[in-house]
C-alpha cells in the first residue's frame, strides 16, 4: 500500500509545484513579485512552525542549526525565490517549470567541486552541458511562436535554479538538530524579511489589490504549493531518497503547461518541449549511476518479514 501512497504523493507534489508557476503569473496582477514572495513565506513560515509546535517538536534552534537556517533562509528562500518570482512574471508557467528542472543538474555540477561524492566524469560533464543547451533552446523563437520567452526572464530563472542548487550542496555539509518542519519554518521566517527588504530596495509599491483571482492564486501559493507542498516534499524525501523524489521536476512542467493553458490561455511552444527533452537527457546522464542503482534496488526481491 505504501508504494501506491508514494506514487500518489509524487504526482500530487508535481501537480502542486507545477501549478505554482502559472499561479505566480496570475497573482502578479495584484501584487509585485518580490512583495508577493515575501508575504508568501511570512505566511508559510508561521503555519509550518505552528505545525511543528502542534506536533510537540523542538522549535528552539541550537548553535548547530544557525548556519543551516541562514543558508536555507537567505539562499533557498530569499535569493532563489526572489529571482524565481521576478523571472516567472516574464515567461509562461511551462517555461519556468522547465528551467527549474535543471536544479538536479546544477546540483551535480556544484557537488563535483565542493563534495567528495561526485566525480567530473565525461558523462556528467556532457549532462551538465546539455542542461545549459536545453535552457538556451527556450529563448530561441520557434517557427510558430507568436512571442518567444523573454530572455531576461529565462536568465533570472536559470540564476534561481543555480542558487537553489548551490544552497542545497552547501546544506549537505551541515548537521542540524531541528526537525524538518521547524527547520523549514525558521528558514522561511529568515527569508521573508530579506525579500521584504529587496522589495523596498527595488521600489515596488507596498500594496496588494485583493481581487478574487489574486486571492485564489495567492492562497494556492501559500496553503497548497507552500505548506502542503513543502511538507509533502520532505516526507517523500525521507521515504524515497533524493534520486526518486527529485524526478518530480520532470513531471511538473506537464502540470504547469496544463494549468497555464486552462486558466491563463498560455500556449506551449515547440521550443519549450525541445528544451525540456534536452534537459531530461542531461539529467539522465548526470544521474545515470544513481538512477541505475535505484532501479536495481526497486527490482531486487524483498527479504525477511
Amino acid at each position: 500500500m505504501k508504494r501506491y501512497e508514494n506514487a500518489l504523493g509524487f504526482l500530487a507534489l508535481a501537480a502542486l509545484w507545477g501549478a505554482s508557476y502559472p499561479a505566480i503569473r496570475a497573482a502578479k496582477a495584484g501584487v509585485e513579485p518580490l512583495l508577493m514572495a515575501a508575504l508568501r513565506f511570512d505566511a508559510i513560515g508561521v503555519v509550518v512552525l505552528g505545525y511543528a509546535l502542534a506536533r510537540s517538536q523542538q522549535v528552539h534552534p541550537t548553535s548547530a542549526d544557525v548556519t543551516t537556517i541562514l543558508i536555507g533562509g537567505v539562499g533557498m528562500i530569499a535569493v532563489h525565490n526572489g529571482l524565481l518570482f521576478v523571472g516567472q512574471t516574464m515567461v509562461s508557467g511551462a517555461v519556468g517549470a522547465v528551467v527549474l528542472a535543471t536544479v538536479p543538474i546544477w546540483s551535480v555540477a556544484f557537488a563535483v567541486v565542493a563534495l567528495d561524492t561526485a566525480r567530473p566524469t565525461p558523462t556528467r560533464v556532457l549532462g551538465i552541458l546539455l542542461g545549459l543547451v536545453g535552457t538556451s533552446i527556450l529563448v530561441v523563437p520557434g517557427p510558430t511562436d507568436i512571442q518567444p520567452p523573454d530572455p531576461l526572464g529565462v536568465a533570472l530563472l536559470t540564476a534561481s535554479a543555480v542558487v537553489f542548487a548551490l544552497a542545497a550542496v552547501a546544506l549537505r555539509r551541515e548537521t542540524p538538530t531541528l526537525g524538518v518542519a521547524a527547520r523549514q519554518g525558521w528558514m522561511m521566517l529568515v527569508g521573508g524579511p530579506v525579500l521584504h527588504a529587496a522589495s523596498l530596495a527595488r521600489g515596488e509599491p507596498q500594496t496588494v489589490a485583493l481581487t478574487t483571482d489574486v486571492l485564489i492564486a495567492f492562497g494556492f501559493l501559500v496553503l497548497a504549493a507552500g505548506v502542503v507542498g513543502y511538507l509533502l516534499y520532505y516526507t517523500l524525501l525521507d521515504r524515497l531518497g533524493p534520486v526518486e523524489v527529485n524526478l518530480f521536476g520532470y513531471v511538473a512542467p506537464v502540470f504547469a503547461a496544463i494549468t497555464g493553458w486552462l486558466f491563463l490561455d498560455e500556449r506551449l511552444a515547440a521550443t519549450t518541449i525541445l528544451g525540456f527533452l534536452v534537459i531530461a537527457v542531461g539529467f539522465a546522464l548526470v544521474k545515470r549511476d544513481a538512477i541505475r542503482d535505484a532501479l536495481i534496488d526497486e527490482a531486487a526481491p524483498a527479504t525477511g518479514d
Side-chain angles (χ1 to χ4, degrees):
M1 180 63 72
K2 181 166 285 190
R3 178 178 298 181
Y4 295 108
E5 290 177 357
N6 291 341
L8 289 174
F10 181 92
L11 287 175
L13 179 64
L16 289 172
W17 281 5
S20 68
Y21 298 100
I24 292 172
R25 286 179 58 80
K28 76 171 185 176
V31 57
E32 294 294 322
L34 290 179
L35 179 60
M36 183 200 320
L39 294 173
R40 181 196 186 200
F41 287 105
D42 290 342
I44 299 174
V46 170
V47 173
V48 172
L49 205 58
Y51 170 81
L53 279 169
R55 297 290 299 272
S56 299
Q57 297 176 3
Q58 176 189 343
V59 296
H60 180 70
T62 67
S63 57
D65 299 305
V66 173
T67 303
T68 295
I69 291 172
L70 288 177
I71 292 173
V74 176
M76 283 189 166
I77 302 301
V79 180
H80 159 66
N81 280 283
L83 293 168
L84 169 62
F85 274 62
V86 175
Q88 188 56 72
T89 62
M90 303 178 186
V91 301
S92 71
V95 169
V98 169
V99 175
L100 268 293
T102 62
V103 166
I105 298 176
W106 293 114
S107 297
V108 171
F110 290 125
V112 165
V113 176
L115 303 175
D116 297 330
T117 56
R119 294 176 291 106
T121 63
T123 301
R124 281 179 172 157
V125 172
L126 177 59
I128 292 167
L129 292 176
L130 283 176
L132 290 171
V133 171
T135 304
S136 301
I137 288 173
L138 296 176
V139 300
V140 177
T144 60
D145 292 351
I146 297 176
Q147 183 178 4
D150 189 328
L152 177 58
V154 174
L156 291 172
L157 289 166
T158 302
S160 172
V162 170
V163 170
F164 186 94
L166 183 59
V169 170
L171 286 175
R172 292 183 191 177
R173 294 177 173 271
E174 303 302 317
T175 54
T177 61
L178 286 178
V180 168
R183 192 162 68 245
Q184 287 295 309
W186 283 116
M187 287 180 184
M188 293 167 184
L189 292 180
V190 166
V194 175
L195 286 164
H196 278 291
S199 174
L200 291 169
R202 190 170 182 248
E204 292 183 348
Q206 301 298 297
T207 57
V208 179
L210 295 179
T211 65
T212 301
D213 289 345
V214 170
L215 282 172
I216 292 173
F218 190 74
F220 176 84
L221 288 170
V222 171
L223 297 175
V227 175
V228 177
Y230 275 100
L231 292 176
L232 182 57
Y233 174 80
Y234 284 103
T235 299
L236 291 173
L237 184 64
D238 290 339
R239 290 183 183 179
L240 304 177
V243 175
E244 288 189 56
V245 74
N246 281 333
L247 290 174
F248 86 87
Y250 294 89
V251 183
V254 176
F255 290 100
I258 293 172
T259 305
W261 172 66
L262 285 174
F263 296 101
L264 301 179
D265 197 28
E266 294 180 347
R267 297 177 57 187
L268 186 62
T271 49
T272 302
I273 299 173
L274 178 59
F276 170 74
L277 293 175
V278 173
I279 290 168
V281 172
F283 171 83
L285 290 175
V286 298
K287 290 289 191 179
R288 183 181 63 175
D289 293 341
I291 292 172
R292 181 193 60 210
D293 293 343
L295 292 175
I296 291 173
D297 290 342
E298 179 70 19
T303 60
D305 295 334

